[in-house]
Amino acid sequence: RAWLGSFLGWDSVISVVVMAAPKITLTYFNIEAAAEKVRLALVMTGTPFEDKRINFDEWGALKPTTPYGQLPLMTVTNADGSTKTFAQSVAMMRWVARKFDATNTLYPAEPDIMLEIEEVIGLSDDLQKAWQPALYMGMGRHTSYGHPAEWSEKAEVVKKLREGFLQESLPKFMEFFTKKLQATGAFFCGDKPT
């Protein structure tokens, strides 16, 4: 194959493609959560990356340097040394799948298949939104939901929110996801991961 590549002039093209692969650093806390979908996309596409996990003590100094004051954060360093920093995990996941998936199955360009994938991503986002108040209020972010810092009913309200999620929202979403899986027999959008 080497002589054929030389004959066709592909050696320089192959070198450029290999050299052009960016260095990717994904920064997040030492938990799965929002960064896990990005990590999975990187692993599934065989894309090398630095999985930079920080502790919560480091977050205070890093937060003001991020685009939106949140993690995960993806830094892409190109072969020419230029860098670009991205936020928003779903955008990162889509970018990785579109840019590095040689099989074009994780996030295909075909509009009808992409619509199915986007529907499941939206459904997943809806599940996350249903759970967030119970999670964040329990983590001490109750002031973000209009409650005073000193709030004696916090534990009772968080318990009620979590019980309501387990009784109502979670079964509803699991039914939606189950129907998707039953329809394909494998994954949410067909016979391969998307």
Side-chain angles (χ1 to χ4, degrees), residues 42-100:
L42 288 160
V43 168
M44 291 176 74
T45 59
T47 306
F49 71 104
E50 178 186 355
D51 189 9
K52 185 176 180 184
R53 298 188 185 217
I54 65 166
N55 62 46
F56 291 103
D57 294 335
E58 296 170 285
W59 173 231
L62 181 61
K63 185 175 182 175
T65 69
T66 65
Y68 309 117
Q70 62 191 32
L71 292 178
L73 190 67
M74 178 185 279
T75 304
V76 178
T77 305
N78 296 304
D80 66 1
S82 63
T83 62
K84 186 150 185 166
T85 300
F86 300 94
Q88 299 301 325
S89 59
V90 176
M92 293 176 206
M93 177 184 66
R94 288 180 180 118
W95 178 78
V96 168
R98 190 58 63 78
K99 186 165 182 81
F100 300 110

Side-chain angles (χ1 to χ4, degrees), residues 105-106 108 112-121 180-181 183-194:
T105 57
L106 287 179
D112 292 340
I113 297 171
M114 190 171 53
L115 179 60
E116 288 183 52
I117 294 167
E118 287 297 325
E119 180 183 50
V120 173
I121 291 172
K180 286 276 188 194
L181 290 171
T184 66
F187 298 97
F188 289 126
C189 299
D191 62 351
K192 294 181 180 76
T194 54

